[in-house]
Amino acid sequence: MLKEYINIIDRYIRNEFPLQLREVSVLAYKIAALILVFLILSFVLKRIFIPIIRWIVFKSNRPFYIACYNRHVFRSFLNFIPMLFCYWIIEDVFYRSKRFLPYIDAIFNWLIISVVAVILHRVIKAVEDYADGTQLNYNATGIKAVAQSLRIIGTIAYVIVSLSIFLRISPGSIFAGLGAMTAVVLLIFRDTILGFISGIHVATSRLFKVGDWINVTKYKLEGNVVEINLLTTKIKNFDNTISSIPTYDLISTEVRNAQVLIDKNSRRIKRSIFFSIKSFKFIDLEAYQRLQRIEILKDYFLTKEIEIHRLEEINTGTAADEYLINGKQLTNIGTFRMYVYNYLKRHPQIDEEQPIMVRQMEITPNGMPLEIYCFTKLGIWSDFENLQSDIFDHIMVAAREFDLDIVQTVATGSKTALKRKIITQVNT
């Protein structure tokens, strides 16, 4: 029946149109008719099926289906159906113009390949959107790397197949020609290949994910991962600037993931206070009587019966030894060290299950460092810094009760020479 209508129109054109326009006019109206059929079928299918598809997708509430709908994957499928129908009827439409049929057939083959390429491209983009929506999953990085690699491979394959259609040669011949240029291809796509491998490695090893706080030692970068794609990784620094580094550097250099501090709600305190050695001394009975009123030192003093008995003997003059240096003695720095240790042990925001140390470090020209080493129960950076400041505020002020002088180094005038300054001991 279709051929009968085609014959009627062909006869009309051949009878009514000038000789030089007949063939062109016949070819033009047939192409226009195919385009019109495609547009009408595509419009009808979309008007009927898109509302149904939308209802099903959002009713199911599946993230991947929603991503496909937003990327117009289903619309592309509805374009593919009328394209196949038009390809099916081209022999009937052009049966009287057979010399043009090979060219029309090649164009339709290319159009079908193009529609398939668009569908695959949109499906891959939907997969990437789905991965972005699941950033808390370490596999999202690997999914994006694979998806971007497939898009690049698909683009190359699409170009090769399109050339094979129009040049009428086999795709295998083109791939064979590219095989001879393997070294050049590897050089051109070096970063892409390395990025693909890096993405797979990051996903499988679960090193970090989008949103993690990382430190890249090589580039002196510290911030949150914003995006990990095939070629580059974007990091948002803490000054709100964006840095970009090659993705393959993530597995070839040192990368520290500090997100575990937040996820596990634990951060480390490792800081020292410098004390003047000249302020170190033995505790006399008066100082002991003052310090024993400190609640957190009572258990410590109970373990120092010999030293306390020695204090009483020295104070009453009944000590067997003539000089204070003989025998066991309590020192202000040692007692203060135990005070800080017990203070940290009792602090509600210090993790008792983690190591807690208060230790003397090697003496320096600036004094003797007393290092505090422990872990907090706070993972948020701002909360951690506030807690650390509160702890050291207390420790530095508490040092006065033990007659200890804290050392600070300051610059004098415009000179570069440094001058040691001892904080004046204020007894309260």
Side-chain angles (χ1 to χ4, degrees):
M1 190 174 196
L2 179 61
K3 290 183 179 180
E4 293 178 4
Y5 288 115
I6 295 295
N7 288 334
I8 293 171
I9 299 173
D10 282 355
R11 282 197 299 268
Y12 175 79
I13 292 176
R14 295 182 190 282
N15 292 333
E16 299 296 332
F17 281 65
L19 181 62
Q20 62 272 20
L21 295 178
R22 288 176 186 172
E23 196 167 19
V24 175
S25 299
V26 169
L27 185 64
Y29 98 80
K30 290 180 179 180
I31 293 174
L34 284 174
I35 294 173
L36 184 61
V37 169
F38 170 79
L39 293 176
I40 292 174
L41 285 176
S42 178
F43 176 77
V44 172
L45 289 174
K46 288 175 183 177
R47 292 286 291 183
I48 295 173
F49 289 103
I50 288 297
I52 299 173
I53 292 171
R54 185 193 307 118
W55 182 84
I56 294 173
V57 166
F58 288 98
K59 185 71 174 178
S60 65
N61 199 26
R62 298 287 182 86
F64 179 68
Y65 296 160
I66 294 173
C68 288
Y69 179 82
N70 292 333
R71 283 292 177 180
H72 306 300
V73 174
F74 303 108
R75 289 179 178 271
S76 298
F77 273 112
L78 295 177
N79 287 333
F80 184 67
I81 295 172
M83 181 66 66
L84 285 179
F85 176 78
C86 292
Y87 181 72
W88 179 59
I89 65 173
I90 58 171
E91 288 192 9
D92 291 337
V93 174
F94 291 93
Y95 84 99
R96 299 191 64 176
S97 306
K98 290 192 179 294
R99 65 194 187 95
F100 295 110
L101 190 57
Y103 303 103
I104 300 299
D105 185 71
I107 291 173
F108 265 91
N109 284 330
W110 176 73
L111 289 174
I112 290 173
I113 292 297
S114 299
V115 173
V116 172
V118 170
I119 292 173
L120 293 177
H121 174 80
R122 289 179 175 177
V123 169
I124 293 172
K125 291 295 290 183
V127 171
E128 290 187 44
D129 293 344
Y130 172 74
D132 285 336
T134 56
Q135 289 181 357
L136 295 180
N137 189 345
Y138 284 93
N139 292 329
T141 302
I143 292 173
K144 294 191 68 175
V146 172
Q148 290 174 350
S149 300
L150 289 176
R151 278 198 290 129
I152 293 174
I153 295 171
T155 301
I156 296 172
Y158 170 72
V159 172
I160 292 173
V161 173
S162 299
L163 288 175
S164 69
I165 290 173
F166 290 111
L167 298 177
R168 297 184 180 181
I169 60 177
S170 136
S173 302
I174 299 177
F175 279 111
L178 291 176
M181 302 173 61
T182 303
V184 177
V185 172
L186 289 176
L187 181 62
I188 294 173
F189 294 102
R190 171 181 173 272
D191 290 345
T192 301
I193 296 170
L194 290 174
F196 172 75
I197 296 172
S198 301
I200 298 299
H201 178 75
V202 169
T204 55
S205 61
R206 298 176 179 268
L207 293 174
F208 49 83
K209 61 184 182 300
V210 173
D212 280 2
W213 170 12
I214 67 171
N215 185 313
V216 186
T217 308
K218 177 180 178 180
Y219 298 102
K220 297 181 180 179
L221 293 176
E222 186 173 8
N224 296 106
V225 180
V226 176
E227 179 183 353
I228 304 175
N229 57 43
L230 197 59
L231 298 179
T232 59
T233 295
K234 294 180 181 178
I235 299 173
K236 184 177 181 180
N237 303 304
F238 293 136
D239 59 357
N240 287 333
T241 58
I242 301 293
S243 299
S244 179
I245 64 172
T247 299
Y248 56 80
D249 270 350
L250 299 178
I251 60 174
S252 61
T253 61
E254 179 187 4
V255 179
R256 296 183 179 180
N257 190 345
Q259 188 65 27
V260 66
L261 301 177
I262 298 176
D263 294 342
K264 292 186 177 181
N265 218 24
S266 177
R267 293 178 64 91
R268 185 185 69 174
I269 294 178
K270 186 176 183 292
R271 184 181 290 183
S272 299
I273 301 175
F274 287 78
F275 290 95
S276 170
I277 300 174
K278 294 181 179 179
S279 65
F280 296 170
K281 61 182 180 180
F282 293 122
I283 292 180
D284 56 20
L285 188 61
E286 179 184 353
Y288 163 70
Q289 291 174 345
R290 184 179 73 250
L291 295 176
Q292 71 173 345
R293 296 196 297 267
I294 300 175
E295 177 66 25
I296 60 178
L297 282 178
K298 287 184 177 180
D299 291 340
Y300 169 69
F301 284 137
L302 289 177
T303 64
K304 299 295 180 181
E305 294 182 2
I306 297 176
E307 290 84 346
I308 294 171
H309 182 67
R310 174 71 175 164
L311 280 175
E312 294 173 350
E313 289 181 346
I314 293 172
N315 187 64
T316 58
T318 60
D321 301 310
E322 184 179 356
Y323 299 103
L324 292 179
I325 197 171
N326 294 321
K328 292 185 176 181
Q329 298 283 339
L330 292 175
T331 62
N332 60 345
I333 184 64
T335 305
F336 179 71
R337 181 165 53 83
M338 295 306 302
Y339 168 80
V340 175
Y341 175 78
N342 289 320
Y343 170 75
L344 295 174
K345 289 278 287 185
R346 295 189 179 198
H347 200 289
Q349 296 300 335
I350 299 299
D351 190 353
E352 294 184 11
E353 296 182 359
Q354 299 286 344
I356 299 176
M357 289 191 296
V358 182
R359 58 177 181 170
Q360 294 182 11
M361 305 297 288
E362 184 177 353
I363 296 176
T364 70
N366 293 326
M368 189 207 73
L370 189 70
E371 184 184 79
I372 285 80
Y373 185 98
C374 60
F375 291 83
T376 70
K377 295 179 181 179
L378 300 177
I380 305 300
W381 190 14
S382 56
D383 295 339
F384 164 77
E385 290 295 342
N386 289 332
L387 173 63
Q388 183 173 236
S389 299
D390 290 341
I391 289 174
F392 277 86
D393 288 346
H394 177 87
I395 291 173
M396 287 187 289
V397 173
R400 298 177 181 177
E401 295 295 327
F402 294 82
D403 298 327
L404 292 169
D405 294 334
I406 299 174
V407 178
Q408 68 176 9
T409 304
V410 296
T412 57
S414 60
K415 298 180 181 180
T416 58
L418 296 178
K419 176 183 178 181
R420 282 175 44 190
K421 180 181 178 181
I422 307 299
I423 299 179
T424 305
Q425 178 70 37
V426 179
N427 294 321
T428 58

